[in-house]
Amino acid sequence: MIISIASGKGGTGKTTIAVNLVLSISNDNSYDCQFLDCDVEEPNAAIFLKPNISQARPVSILEPRINFTKCTFCGKCAKACAFNAIAVLKNDIKIFMELCHGCGGCSIACPENAISEVSRDVGVIESGNVGKIEFIQGKLNIGEAITPPIIIREMKKRIKKSGTEESKIKHITIIDAPPGTSCPVVESVKNSDFTILVTEPTPFGLNDLILAVEVLKKLNIPMGVVINRGGKNDNIISDYCQNEKIPILMRIPMDKDIAVAYSKGIPMIQINPKYSDKFKELYYKIENQLQISGEI
Amino acid sequence: MKEIVIISGKGGTGKTTITASFGVLAKNKVMADCDVDAADLHLMLHPEIKERFEFKGMSKAFINQEKCTRCGACEKVCRFDAIINTGTNFYVNQLSCEGCRVCMNICPVGAIGLEDDSNGEWYISETKYGPMVHAKLGIAEENSGKLVSIVRQQAKNIAEENGADYIIVDGPPGIGCPVISSLTGVDLALIVTEPTFSGIHDMKRIVEVANRFSVPVKVIINKYNINLENSAAIEKFSEMNQIQVLGHMPFSESVIESITKGIPVVEFCNDEVSKEIISIWDRVVESLK
């Protein structure tokens, strides 16, 4: 089962929920857990999980190289490029690498076979373990712009498929998604069995929650909400959820001890073990939601 | 005219709170919200939309099933796993398609076309604090960087027409394409961070990005009193990298209340945090002279 954690608004507690959820359920020997930090621009889960990283593999895209002895400056490559990344001048060609998506269209279009493709590293995927949890995180190289979805796509190829009927062990993959609602978020949550949306009871939290709900509806992913740093204003979120028939799965109150622990990179279940049961409960609620709707 | 962007790397550190207050404090300016996929500044500045424009970002491929001979050539060339082969049919997964047109060019029977997709809207608005340019990216769309560029360009046009002194830009979280689009060529990037391990980690990455694009940066520590040790670590990092720390905002319930009421905090109350934002703005003005 794949559970992703998303939010719309940044800083609402995605990583907190993802980290504490995986730590809480991985105690159970009938679950085989995997954790993917797909916030490749700003990956933070490792700060809390402190994984042993045993492998680092670069992620690269192919980008064009022109062989000028073959090139006739016909301009077909520039015409084929949908991203305006190639400009053909009288006797030179300019390639704007930051616009290149690595689609290979120019190389196919070249009648002289003058364009080869070379790989360029855009990020790295690091993997290892946290106890018996398999840990995978992606890191975008500094200055890269359009390549986060490529790294996320590569990471998600490592997701373990659910066990066979006979096997008693259940694979659970927890995905920590980036903030926002655009392509890196879509790439992260796509194909999840369930998405937890983490929000806070403020107009910002609500506004961005609504956007995130629209994304999940479009992707047809079942969802539930966690209200973080809650308190007297929770109804701003719960009224909306009630209208939209989205279940509220958990509420975490505003708590200075949790905030201080967070600032030091300490998961909340370590300072307040009663939360471990609450996160297990969160997982069971998700299982129930999916059973009711017949998704599993 | 000076363009200032407020960014953070990590989300939720207080970018919009600070931007909205700068909107109150700065005289003769244009406001721009470049967090186009989760925009919040409008909730504080309450713009009245004057003009509305469609944003056309990217056309996507579609397969004409009547013409398609199921040869599979498109599936082979697509590097984005966007061609789905159901066994009997091929179709394009619009969410994966990057609009590169390679499948369209390779199709031997011309069965693949492009669909123009409306990817969002952008707006020119008026607020009681002055003009504002903002946008809404279509749900689950890409190309937020392109929409950010449009918002910035429009804000610049208005600023030039009005002879404005400042453009104040609310930036997105992260370090990827919308951030780079928000950042390149500005006069000052203000990085809002918080004294948490995550905040520090993310600040270091955004500083690197700003350096890469030669953008001058200064730092604001928000909620500095949540962890004084980490705040000191931010100071030290900033000093070692010759980055000025412009101010320290204390944790304050009044910030949350002001957001709930939709009033920029410097207008909402006159407590310690408001006073600090006022002096930060004075230092920004001073540093841009």
Side-chain angles (χ1 to χ4, degrees), chain B residues 194-263:
Chain B
E194 59 177 36
T196 64
F197 283 2
S198 306
I200 296 171
H201 170 269
D202 296 357
M203 173 191 69
K204 288 179 179 168
R205 277 170 69 83
I206 190 72
V207 165
E208 269 189 78
V209 174
N211 288 344
R212 177 71 58 92
F213 293 95
S214 308
V215 171
V217 295
K218 294 186 191 294
V219 163
I220 298 170
I221 309 176
N222 192 10
K223 301 180 229 176
Y224 80 92
N225 48 354
I226 275 186
N227 188 324
L228 294 173
E229 210 177 307
N230 285 343
S231 284
I234 295 170
E235 296 266 2
K236 199 172 166 201
F237 169 83
S238 303
E239 198 187 312
M240 279 169 59
N241 290 277
Q242 284 148 4
I243 299 167
Q244 187 189 354
V245 176
L246 272 188
H248 301 74
M249 293 160 55
F251 174 82
S252 161
E253 288 284 347
S254 60
V255 171
I256 299 160
E257 276 172 51
S258 75
I259 292 170
T260 304
K261 298 238 157 62
I263 303 168

Side-chain angles (χ1 to χ4, degrees), chain B residues 125-172:
Chain B
S125 297
E126 198 50 58
T127 74
K128 73 173 193 181
Y129 314 98
M132 170 169 168
V133 185
H134 49 129
K136 190 179 181 208
L137 187 71
I139 288 303
E141 287 294 350
E142 45 196 317
N143 248 330
S144 50
K146 199 168 161 189
L147 185 51
V148 166
S149 303
I150 293 174
V151 169
R152 272 186 70 192
Q153 188 55 48
Q154 287 304 318
K156 205 168 188 178
N157 293 351
I158 296 171
E160 274 165 7
E161 267 169 46
N162 297 0
D165 295 322
Y166 303 102
I167 301 172
I168 299 172
V169 180
D170 197 6

Side-chain angles (χ1 to χ4, degrees), chain B:
Chain B
M1 190 223 320
K2 302 287 184 189
E3 191 178 15
I4 304 155
V5 65
I6 291 91
I7 46 169
S8 66
K10 178 168 160 47
T13 58
K15 286 182 295 300
T16 304
T17 295
I18 293 171
T19 310
S21 285
F22 284 179
V24 177
L25 299 169
K27 306 276 179 292
N28 195 21
K29 80 281 163 177
V30 177
M31 303 300 294
D33 191 349
C34 284
D35 189 2
V36 296
D37 64 305
D40 284 334
L41 188 62
H42 63 281
L43 298 170
M44 303 301 283
L45 301 183
H46 312 286
E48 192 185 315
I49 294 174
K50 297 288 179 198
E51 286 179 89
R52 191 183 281 266
F53 304 85
E54 197 186 352
F55 169 62
K56 282 212 164 111
M58 183 64 73
S59 323
K60 296 192 171 181
F62 73 96
I63 298 176
N64 181 335
Q65 297 298 338
E66 273 158 34
K67 283 192 188 168
C68 175
T69 59
R70 285 101 180 112
C71 72
C74 53
E75 191 190 7
K76 280 197 200 99
V77 292
C78 178
R79 290 190 181 164
F80 309 107
D81 302 328
I83 308 282
I84 310 290
N85 179 356
T86 62
T88 51
N89 274 326
F90 290 87
Y91 71 94
V92 178
N93 179 352
Q94 297 272 320
L95 291 165
S96 298
C97 177
E98 300 207 2
C100 70
R101 309 192 297 230
V102 171
C103 56
M104 187 179 107
N105 295 336
I106 208 86
C107 177
V109 294
I112 304 182
L114 286 177
E115 246 167 348
D116 238 354
D117 206 10
S118 171
N119 291 30
E121 283 187 323
W122 57 274
Y123 319 100
I124 295 178
S125 297
E126 198 50 58
T127 74
K128 73 173 193 181
Y129 314 98
M132 170 169 168
V133 185
H134 49 129
K136 190 179 181 208
L137 187 71
I139 288 303
E141 287 294 350
E142 45 196 317
N143 248 330
S144 50
K146 199 168 161 189
L147 185 51
V148 166
S149 303
I150 293 174
V151 169
R152 272 186 70 192
Q153 188 55 48
Q154 287 304 318
K156 205 168 188 178
N157 293 351
I158 296 171
E160 274 165 7
E161 267 169 46
N162 297 0
D165 295 322
Y166 303 102
I167 301 172
I168 299 172
V169 180
D170 197 6
I175 63 164
C177 87
V179 175
I180 292 174
S181 287
S182 305
L183 194 66
T184 42
V186 299
D187 297 286
L188 176 62
L190 287 174
I191 299 176
V192 185
T193 187
E194 59 177 36
T196 64
F197 283 2
S198 306
I200 296 171
H201 170 269
D202 296 357
M203 173 191 69
K204 288 179 179 168
R205 277 170 69 83
I206 190 72
V207 165
E208 269 189 78
V209 174
N211 288 344
R212 177 71 58 92
F213 293 95
S214 308
V215 171
V217 295
K218 294 186 191 294
V219 163
I220 298 170
I221 309 176
N222 192 10
K223 301 180 229 176
Y224 80 92
N225 48 354
I226 275 186
N227 188 324
L228 294 173
E229 210 177 307
N230 285 343
S231 284
I234 295 170
E235 296 266 2
K236 199 172 166 201
F237 169 83
S238 303
E239 198 187 312
M240 279 169 59
N241 290 277
Q242 284 148 4
I243 299 167
Q244 187 189 354
V245 176
L246 272 188
H248 301 74
M249 293 160 55
F251 174 82
S252 161
E253 288 284 347
S254 60
V255 171
I256 299 160
E257 276 172 51
S258 75
I259 292 170
T260 304
K261 298 238 157 62
I263 303 168
V265 66
V266 291
E267 208 174 68
F268 176 74
C269 68
N270 190 27
D271 71 352
E272 214 186 318
V273 74
S274 294
K275 286 179 187 149
E276 184 63 9
I277 296 176
I278 293 168
S279 29
I280 290 170
W281 174 249
D282 290 342
R283 282 174 217 135
V284 169
V285 171
E286 199 53 43
S287 75
L288 287 171
K289 269 182 188 160

Side-chain angles (χ1 to χ4, degrees), chain A residues 6 17 55 82 91 107 123 125 127 129 132 136 142 152 182 188 190 204 207 214-215 219 222 229 252 255 291 296:
Chain A
I17 302 300
Q55 194 194 58
N91 44 22
S107 154
I125 296 175
S127 52
N129 70 294
K132 57 194 188 67
I136 301 170
I142 297 294
I152 296 165
S182 66
S188 301
K190 206 160 76 177
F204 291 0
N207 183 65
E214 284 182 60
V215 172
L219 297 174
R229 294 193 284 268
I252 301 171
D255 179 333
Q291 262 156 9
I296 51 172

